[in-house]
Amino acid sequence: RIGRQHLVSFQKTNKGITVSSCYFDGTSPSSAYCDGKQYWIWLFWGTHDEITLINNHVVNTAGRTPHAGGWSKSLNYVHLVGNSMDNNNHGGIEPRTGSYILSEGNKWTAFTHPINIQAKGGHLAMVNDANGASQCKKYLGAKCLVNKYDSKSKSKTWFDAVVLSQFSKLDKTAISSARNA
């Protein structure tokens, strides 16, 4: 019940960070929309972040899962894989300038906007179909996992292949290991 960010990387280099198998409950009396749901869950703002979020469960949030980039020196590589995102009426992933976010194999339930509708300036690859999954093989050596949505969770199409190009410069073994986990 912290009422603000759960995880923050701030203006320093943050490489080799993995957040795995955590439960993030955004239930809070201090909520931006007065609906009992915390707004800032993950804020990644480093000068060179390499962060993997894998097999986490995120519930009762109102936004920024994650917010990445957004200032002139940002360079953020964020890999979301195999997470369960539940119960959010407002907004989710928010790519901003300097961010490269790969979202694959996540499950969205009662999540109105998996991508924040005000997000702009960053790069996002939401793997929502077989075509997106296949493009991963070209850049990363293996197919990505397709995200899943319930009937209340409709994601707009945002598949920026520059994310895959940028991720191909990172440790491909680590990326594949996260996917396989």
Side-chain angles (χ1 to χ4, degrees):
R1 298 184 185 244
I2 59 176
R4 198 74 172 141
Q5 294 98 338
H6 281 248
L7 292 176
V8 178
S9 68
F10 187 71
Q11 298 186 345
K12 299 282 183 186
T13 297
N14 304 282
K15 289 186 179 182
I17 307 296
T18 298
V19 179
S20 174
S21 304
C22 296
Y23 181 69
F24 293 93
D25 185 349
T27 304
S28 175
S30 303
S31 61
Y33 295 105
C34 299
D35 63 356
K37 296 178 183 179
Q38 184 176 332
Y39 187 62
W40 290 84
I41 300 302
W42 300 323
L43 170 62
F44 302 133
W45 219 35
T47 54
H48 187 136
D49 288 349
E50 293 178 15
I51 298 172
T52 300
L53 300 155
I54 180 172
N55 295 330
N56 297 293
H57 190 179
V58 180
V59 299
N60 298 324
T61 61
R64 296 180 175 163
T65 52
H67 170 111
W71 73 297
S72 64
K73 296 181 182 179
S74 291
L75 180 58
N76 311 109
Y77 300 97
V78 180
H79 188 194
L80 296 166
V81 58
N83 298 288
S84 293
M85 309 290 210
D86 301 334
N87 199 16
N88 178 317
N89 299 340
H90 304 287
I93 298 172
E94 189 171 338
R96 296 288 182 162
T97 302
S99 66
Y100 300 92
I101 303 172
L102 174 58
S103 173
E104 62 166 316
N106 300 292
K107 182 180 176 187
W108 309 84
T109 305
F111 209 103
T112 306
H113 300 287
I115 301 170
N116 187 316
I117 60 173
Q118 297 175 358
K120 60 183 174 187
H123 302 279
L124 172 62
M126 288 289 277
V127 181
N128 289 340
D129 57 30
N131 182 46
S134 293
Q135 286 191 50
C136 290
K137 187 168 185 173
K138 173 182 171 185
Y139 292 95
L140 304 175
K143 286 185 178 182
C144 284
L145 303 171
V146 175
N147 292 311
K148 296 178 182 175
Y149 302 90
D150 73 349
S151 62
K152 295 179 183 179
S153 308
K154 299 295 181 196
S155 179
K156 66 180 181 179
T157 300
W158 187 338
F159 191 89
D160 190 345
V162 73
V163 172
L164 301 179
S165 176
Q166 290 295 316
F167 267 68
S168 73
K169 300 173 187 175
L170 303 175
D171 183 346
K172 291 180 191 170
T173 302
I175 294 167
S176 290
S177 294
R179 181 178 305 114
N180 292 333

